[in-house]
Amino acid sequence: MVVVVRLSLKQRYGLLVCFTIAGLIAYQFTRRGPEVKRMSRVEGLRANSSQFSLEGEPFRILGGSIHYFRVPRAYWEDRLLKMRACGLNTLTTYVPWNLHEPERGVFNFQDQLDLEAYLRLAASLGLWVILRPGPYICAEWDLGGLPSWLLRDKNMKMRTTYPRFTDAVNSFFDQLIRRVVPHQYSKGGPIIAVQVENEYGSYAKDTEYMPFIKEALLSRGITELLLTSDNQEGLKLGGVQGALETINFQKLNLDGIKYLDGIQPQKPRMVMEYWSGWFDLWGGLHHVFTPEEMLAVVSEILKLDMSINLYMFHGGTNFGFMSGAFTVGTPAPKPMVTSYDYDAPLSEAGDYTTKYHLLRNLFSHYHTKLLPEVPSLQERKAYQPVVIQQHLSLWDSLHFTDKPFKSERPVNMENLPVNNNNGQSYGYTLYETTITRGGALSSKNNVRDRALVFVDRHFVGVLDYKVQELALLDGKGERTLSLLVENCGRVNYGKTLDEQRKGLVGDIEVNKKPLRDFIIHSLDMKPGFVNRVKSSGHWKSMRQQLSFPGFFQAKLHVEGKPRDTFIRLPGWSKGVVFINGRNLGRYWSIGPQQTLYVPGPWLHKGTNQVVVFEEQEADGKIQFASSPDYGMTVDVQ
């Protein structure tokens, strides 16, 4: 028997509302991820007493940093599952402005840069999120995450309320924050706190700047708890009213904790960056921080009833040209290596370390339930060496660059009329001019950062911060002087951000006379250029005389499912490696890093194309290893 029930329009509308509300509640259950006992979600993370509270109940942040832009998207879930299995409840991540807005007004939040997908994934895996949107992030990342096109303005004053800087920040935040707002705790998302800028106390050039950034967040709909983050010295100048201050350190800093208590009594205490390891510089040693010492400090922090965020929990890789440079206490910038392994608890390739197992055991005591099982590791493979099949000189590759630019005087990378008048951000720039005699070539310290010097395409020497003069032999008639200048990475920390223009930043001289009339080629080596080079008909057999700098091509054949591997380049000098058009990053024989990480998902079954840009010296093959080599180690001081 069928019963037909006739409802009035008012009754039908009431049922529709009920079903809609029920559906929304069910959706919140499925998308929320982090385990919350009550549905109300009206009281997020609070800092109203000496302990954090979430939903009105005591809450301790056990956090770890994993940057989505340093981990292949295919491995995001793997790394976050390993984070949960270690006993962490909160993910922290920076947002790199220079990747999301590579040209002024051109925004990218897709694929590897899909921040919203990363936030949804964290929620689905039961992790809360502390978002650190910058605009400055430090992070050992080129220019601390600030886009290089800002430097086209010769008067630019970054991290201040200089109008052209704040206009650019406002434009970026208009795009970023509207994507972030729906993922806040109050909206059913995982974000429980947002950081206001980053370590501003170490910069502190403008007292109005932090209030500006805070208002830029609030006015666009950020409603969760606001935080700031500084080392002990920075705490004196880095705070802003209405944001909880947190501290950064590696060795236990009781004085800093005491100072924190003094400036904000009866507030939760948190180490926002507990440095689990350290970064490496080209020409140095690989920094390690012993597991036992790390565990002792983390144990003390927890005994002091503090919250903690491990920086890094998993470092990942500075793929491409994105690594920064270090200047604190050094006369000239020292560039960062490609790996961001950081000696973190989870290695660059996602392996468990001794630190991971010690922390998992420690954090297990701060949970009432058993921790999840640790996920299985990704398989790795040392592929057989591949033989270089063809080479292409730098000079022959210039056909595939954009039209060269003519200028009476040298022009720095950022002010070149390329990339829709946004300048050149990364890679190499070739400056060529004519000379009629030899003598003393002087850079006047205007090379940023390193130049290979050629006369009629014959290598003469290197100009950098240490070597600022070379002898040029006399010759007949007019000759071409070429300087291939590399941006080795912009400084990411300190007070010289406004001075990070690259290329030739002023005159160079021969016999104290400034050179003029340059032809300038932009070699930023973007995917389009690399693909044009790969498919060109100009490649030469390895039996023909090699020319440096140059591109070298090989094929890696993969049978079965592609596996993670590491490239080794003994017998090579310095350059960049591309696999299937992706820039894996820089290598340099001076170390400490001796391998480049190759994620399995970036390979495919069958033939994979490997292109190496080498500056000065090449071996006839490329080797592979199943484990990394980061060089000789030194304890973090």
Side-chain angles (χ1 to χ4, degrees):
M1 182 175 66
V2 177
V3 178
V4 178
V5 179
R6 300 191 183 277
L7 300 175
S8 69
L9 184 63
K10 185 175 180 181
Q11 288 170 320
R12 276 181 278 170
Y13 177 75
L15 275 176
L16 177 62
V17 169
C18 289
F19 284 129
T20 301
I21 292 172
L24 284 171
I25 291 173
Y27 174 67
Q28 294 292 1
F29 268 120
T30 57
R31 77 183 288 257
R32 222 173 7 163
E35 297 163 5
V36 181
K37 292 178 181 177
R38 294 197 297 272
M39 267 308 300
S40 61
R41 307 214 79 178
V42 293
E43 186 175 304
L45 189 68
R46 297 289 184 267
N48 299 327
S49 66
S50 60
Q51 262 189 321
F52 286 113
S53 64
L54 187 63
E55 280 293 340
E57 298 178 1
F59 181 73
R60 186 201 298 263
I61 296 167
L62 299 176
S65 292
I66 303 179
H67 301 150
Y68 58 99
F69 47 94
R70 280 182 159 128
V71 179
R73 179 166 177 170
Y75 283 155
W76 285 355
E77 184 170 5
D78 173 79
R79 306 312 193 243
L80 296 190
L81 284 170
K82 289 170 178 173
M83 170 179 272
R84 273 212 70 195
C86 194
L88 301 184
N89 57 28
T90 303
L91 165 69
T92 70
T93 186
Y94 285 129
V95 176
W97 181 6
N98 52 10
L99 290 188
H100 286 293
E101 192 179 1
E103 296 178 9
R104 187 187 290 271
V106 177
F107 299 95
N108 182 3
F109 289 89
Q110 303 298 315
D111 304 321
Q112 185 66 44
L113 296 176
D114 192 341
L115 173 59
E116 290 189 89
Y118 193 59
L119 296 173
R120 285 191 293 267
L121 176 63
S124 71
L125 299 179
L127 290 165
W128 301 113
V129 173
I130 295 176
L131 193 70
R132 310 173 81 186
Y136 164 82
I137 61 173
C138 182
E140 287 72 67
W141 195 252
D142 187 274
L143 202 58
L146 301 172
S148 66
W149 46 258
L150 291 168
L151 294 169
R152 290 175 67 81
D153 178 357
K154 68 180 188 302
N155 300 313
M156 177 54 63
K157 297 177 180 62
M158 297 185 181
R159 303 181 75 192
T160 71
T161 50
Y162 175 64
R164 289 185 181 176
F165 182 73
T166 56
D167 286 349
V169 171
N170 280 323
S171 176
F172 173 54
F173 272 16
D174 283 345
Q175 295 293 323
L176 171 65
I177 304 304
R178 70 178 177 84
R179 290 173 164 85
V180 166
V181 163
H183 301 280
Q184 295 182 103
Y185 177 91
S186 59
K187 308 282 188 181
I191 297 174
I192 55 173
V194 176
Q195 186 173 296
V196 184
E197 235 262 1
N198 187 58
E199 295 185 314
Y200 194 69
S202 300
Y203 199 75
K205 291 188 176 183
D206 184 343
T207 56
E208 297 302 311
Y209 177 67
M210 286 293 279
F212 158 72
I213 295 295
K214 175 190 163 189
E215 180 56 29
L217 296 170
L218 295 178
S219 64
R220 289 169 174 83
I222 295 297
T223 57
E224 306 305 329
L225 181 69
L226 298 180
L227 307 165
T228 61
S229 166
D230 285 285
N231 60 26
Q232 183 178 351
E233 280 300 305
L235 286 171
K236 298 171 184 175
L237 297 168
V240 62
Q241 188 173 1
L244 182 75
E245 297 192 51
T246 66
I247 191 169
N248 304 336
F249 59 72
Q250 184 168 64
K251 307 293 175 72
L252 190 63
N253 186 349
L254 294 174
D255 288 341
I257 295 169
K258 184 177 179 181
Y259 181 82
L260 196 62
D261 281 339
I263 60 174
Q264 47 184 32
Q266 294 303 305
K267 292 287 185 182
R269 299 175 299 175
M270 179 172 180
V271 186
M272 175 57 78
E273 290 187 11
Y274 175 69
W275 302 319
S276 63
W278 203 242
F279 53 83
D280 295 338
L281 308 173
W282 287 117
L285 298 172
H286 173 49
H287 290 90
V288 295
F289 185 48
T290 67
E292 295 75 21
E293 193 170 0
M294 180 214 68
L295 186 73
V297 181
V298 174
S299 298
E300 284 301 313
I301 290 169
L302 297 179
K303 286 176 185 175
L304 290 169
D305 206 25
M306 298 181 72
S307 284
I308 188 171
N309 175 59
L310 297 161
Y311 187 100
M312 299 293 294
F313 177 74
H314 168 56
T317 311
N318 297 315
F319 293 114
F321 296 117
M322 299 312 300
S323 48
F326 188 68
T327 52
V328 179
T330 65
K334 293 189 175 181
M336 310 275 179
V337 303
T338 299
S339 170
Y340 201 59
D341 177 82
Y342 206 83
D343 195 33
L346 205 60
S347 79
E348 179 179 19
D351 290 337
Y352 304 116
T353 66
T354 301
K355 288 180 179 178
Y356 181 97
H357 295 298
L358 291 173
L359 288 170
R360 176 174 155 86
N361 181 59
L362 175 64
F363 291 146
S364 69
H365 300 301
Y366 291 85
H367 290 269
T368 55
K369 296 180 181 178
L370 288 175
L371 295 181
E373 290 293 317
V374 294
S376 58
L377 292 175
Q378 301 293 328
E379 287 186 39
R380 290 215 294 268
K381 185 169 183 177
Y383 293 100
Q384 290 299 308
V386 294
V387 175
I388 300 297
Q389 297 170 321
Q390 295 174 304
H391 69 98
L392 177 72
S393 77
L394 168 73
W395 320 107
D396 288 339
S397 77
L398 297 179
H399 305 295
F400 307 107
T401 64
D402 292 334
K403 185 179 178 182
F405 172 59
K406 294 181 179 180
S407 173
E408 182 186 2
R409 297 169 181 266
V411 177
N412 60 286
M413 286 173 62
E414 295 79 5
N415 285 98
L416 291 174
V418 296
N419 296 317
N420 300 312
N421 280 320
N422 285 272
Q424 182 183 344
S425 295
Y426 314 107
Y428 297 78
T429 310
L430 180 66
Y431 297 82
E432 295 193 311
T433 187
T434 300
I435 57 173
T436 55
R437 56 181 299 183
L441 172 69
S442 174
S443 71
K444 307 292 289 182
N445 199 27
N446 285 325
V447 168
R448 298 287 186 277
D449 296 293
R450 187 173 180 272
L452 302 180
V453 182
F454 305 84
V455 174
D456 283 345
R457 300 184 176 178
H458 294 291
F459 179 66
V460 174
V462 176
L463 292 173
D464 56 19
Y465 293 102
K466 290 181 181 177
V467 179
Q468 297 184 23
E469 193 166 293
L470 290 174
L472 302 181
L473 297 176
D474 279 323
K476 293 181 181 179
E478 293 186 345
R479 294 178 295 164
T480 300
L481 176 72
S482 306
L483 291 94
L484 181 65
V485 185
E486 181 193 6
N487 163 13
C488 295
R490 296 182 184 85
V491 165
N492 54 272
Y493 180 83
K495 300 199 176 187
T496 63
L497 296 178
D498 298 334
E499 304 161 26
Q500 295 306 305
R501 293 170 184 86
K502 297 296 184 179
L504 293 183
V505 298
D507 285 334
I508 56 171
E509 300 176 348
V510 171
N511 300 327
K512 298 186 177 180
K513 182 180 179 182
L515 294 171
R516 293 290 180 260
D517 298 323
F518 286 87
I519 295 175
I520 306 172
H521 293 265
S522 172
L523 285 153
D524 47 15
M525 299 195 187
K526 290 182 175 179
F529 167 79
V530 176
N531 288 330
R532 288 193 296 274
V533 166
K534 278 195 312 181
S535 57
S536 86
H538 293 72
W539 290 91
K540 295 178 180 178
S541 160
M542 290 296 287
R543 289 189 295 273
Q544 296 175 270
Q545 185 176 356
L546 302 184
S547 173
F548 295 95
F551 295 88
F552 296 82
Q553 188 171 192
K555 288 182 170 58
L556 169 65
H557 188 76
V558 173
E559 294 181 2
K561 183 179 179 182
R563 303 297 183 187
D564 286 7
T565 189
F566 293 87
I567 280 182
R568 291 184 61 87
L569 292 162
W572 299 71
S573 172
K574 184 179 190 300
V576 191
V577 180
F578 304 86
I579 282 205
N580 296 326
R582 291 181 184 264
N583 189 335
L584 296 181
R586 301 177 178 94
Y587 65 91
W588 197 352
S589 59
I590 64 172
Q593 180 178 353
Q594 299 295 331
T595 53
L596 285 176
Y597 175 52
V598 184
W602 289 6
L603 299 172
H604 46 250
K605 187 177 179 180
T607 301
N608 296 267
Q609 199 149 29
V610 186
V611 173
V612 181
F613 175 71
E614 165 59 48
E615 295 181 9
Q616 290 184 278
E617 179 185 14
D619 187 65
K621 59 183 178 297
I622 297 169
Q623 299 182 26
F624 297 89
S626 58
S627 57
D629 180 356
Y630 299 126
M632 292 180 61
T633 62
V634 62
D635 288 341
V636 176
Q637 299 300 313

